[in-house]
Amino acid sequence: MSTLFSVLVDAVTPEGDDCVRLRLVARTGQDDLPRFEPGAHIDVMTPSGLIRQYSLCGSAEDRTGYELCIKREAASRGGSESLCAGIRRGMELRISPPRNAFMLPDAQRHILIGGGIGITPLLSMMMYLQGRNADWQLHYYTRDPGRAPFGDMLRQGPYAPRVQFSRSLKNGYPDVLDTPSPDTAIMLCGPDGFMNAVFSHAVAAGWQADQVHTEYFRPTETTHALSDRAFDVVLARSGQTVNVPAGQSIAAALLAAGVDVDLSCEQGMCGACVVPLVAGEGDHRDMVLTAEEQGRSIALCCSRSRSPSLTLDL
Ligand code: FES
């Protein structure tokens, strides 16, 4: 697990119809909070004792505080709901340093497409791009634009001309997707069905799959089972070989062998457990690494091996 540290809740405000926005600051006498890049998220130890990941939705230039937006979920298993219901200004929370599995790539133009609470990582990207006079546009799909989180901010000031609201994909996809362009990056975040639909539409229109960058908030359905066959993991630095049996993750096998592994979500979503892959063919089951990155890195919490062994830079 990532090392957690304490911060203070500086503000708790309603955001839109069904969200709560938190501002977290360093405790008195502590240094500024660690720097973060647009698209980053943190782990939060919620009052219920469950750890949850939330995107940082404020400006990455602001070293004095982190902004989070938490959606009240009827089907919440307790983590988010305990934050929404139990957090007050002045309380302490334990969080991890920022981690980024949704980096903004270099491009001439950025198209940001968010569905529902998937807007949150796109906001820090939008602020970053706007601050650099970059070419960007935001397409925000939300059931009720009049009461959407951050709706007022996005309808006002410098952002407004570049933001388009829509209630549903049934009303159409962003027109810009009809004209693929090689210098453009698409940043996509939202519910699984929304993301899958936009991704498929973009690829069918002629965009390259690696131009569409995604972040999932929960694991996608997988047909894989962890109980595949066993394989070996060779640690290049120490020369140690660890067998990973069927039904056990690489991370669990390494921890059992006394090898330190950084873990957080344990679902292939956060990137905490990603390490360099030196040799062997990974059977990648994460939602963090791009196809290109999977050639040289592997997520230890969820991936397996297509070759008899994998060599890791550990
Ligand atoms: S622990 Fe989050 S991706 Fe592996």
Side-chain angles (χ1 to χ4, degrees):
M1 165 152 336
S2 307
T3 311
L4 302 183
F5 63 97
S6 294
V7 291
L8 275 183
V9 178
D10 186 49
V12 183
T13 44
E15 185 63 59
D17 233 9
D18 54 0
C19 295
V20 172
R21 184 168 170 177
L22 301 185
R23 179 172 172 82
L24 308 178
V25 297
R27 291 193 308 168
T28 313
Q30 304 282 306
D31 292 338
D32 281 348
L33 297 172
R35 219 174 256 292
F36 72 95
E37 304 280 330
H41 68 268
I42 57 171
D43 297 342
V44 176
M45 174 70 80
T46 66
S48 69
L50 297 170
I51 289 188
R52 291 287 178 261
Q53 282 84 37
Y54 298 101
S55 296
L56 297 176
C57 57
S59 167
E61 323 280 348
D62 179 7
R63 299 287 310 281
T64 64
Y66 291 158
E67 303 259 347
L68 317 179
C69 182
I70 297 134
K71 182 173 165 56
R72 287 181 183 274
E73 301 274 13
S76 167
R77 286 185 290 155
S80 291
E81 188 51 38
S82 72
L83 267 180
C84 290
I87 279 298
R88 302 282 179 270
R89 183 168 189 266
M91 286 172 76
E92 274 192 20
L93 270 186
R94 290 182 63 72
I95 66 170
S96 73
R99 190 182 302 120
N100 203 344
F102 193 34
M103 293 283 260
L104 197 56
D106 284 337
Q108 293 288 320
R109 181 175 54 155
H110 292 84
I111 301 169
L112 316 178
I113 305 176
I117 195 66
I119 191 71
T120 51
L122 305 180
L123 295 174
S124 62
M125 296 180 181
M126 176 194 80
M127 292 172 197
Y128 176 89
L129 293 167
Q130 178 72 11
R132 281 153 186 76
N133 283 323
D135 184 357
W136 66 272
Q137 53 187 274
L138 171 64
H139 300 267
Y140 185 8
Y141 285 81
T142 176
R143 250 196 308 266
D144 187 349
R147 300 194 288 184
F150 305 101
D152 290 345
M153 176 180 85
L154 294 172
R155 271 186 288 270
Q156 294 163 6
Y159 305 123
R162 294 174 182 267
V163 178
Q164 191 178 347
F165 289 87
S166 184
R167 288 178 187 273
S168 163
L169 289 173
K170 288 183 190 149
N171 300 336
Y173 291 84
D175 290 344
V176 67
L177 293 184
D178 294 340
T179 46
S181 126
D183 301 328
T184 300
I186 299 171
M187 309 303 294
L188 173 61
C189 190
D192 294 359
F194 172 84
M195 293 176 69
N196 293 340
V198 175
F199 183 88
S200 303
H201 180 86
V203 170
W207 294 85
Q208 299 298 310
D210 63 5
Q211 288 182 275
V212 187
H213 304 262
T214 57
E215 180 161 77
Y216 284 87
F217 282 128
R218 64 179 182 78
T220 50
E221 295 301 323
T222 175
T223 54
H224 298 298
L226 201 56
S227 55
D228 299 350
R229 64 176 187 273
F231 57 95
D232 285 337
V233 167
V234 179
L235 309 185
R237 293 189 216 171
S238 65
Q240 186 180 355
T241 297
V242 176
N243 182 258
V244 182
Q248 191 175 40
S249 69
I250 302 175
L254 292 178
L255 288 167
V259 180
D260 203 17
V261 175
D262 201 4
L263 282 176
S264 181
C265 73
E266 300 190 51
Q267 298 178 97
M269 298 188 301
C270 74
C273 64
V274 171
V275 300
L277 175 62
V278 179
E281 189 186 354
D283 179 0
H284 297 278
R285 301 178 184 189
D286 64 277
M287 284 154 284
V288 170
L289 300 170
T290 62
E292 188 196 343
E293 289 167 339
Q294 287 180 342
R296 53 179 192 271
S297 301
I298 190 163
L300 302 181
C301 68
C302 56
S303 300
R304 298 194 69 77
S305 180
R306 294 187 194 283
S307 47
S309 74
L310 296 175
T311 304
L312 308 179
D313 185 15
L314 285 176

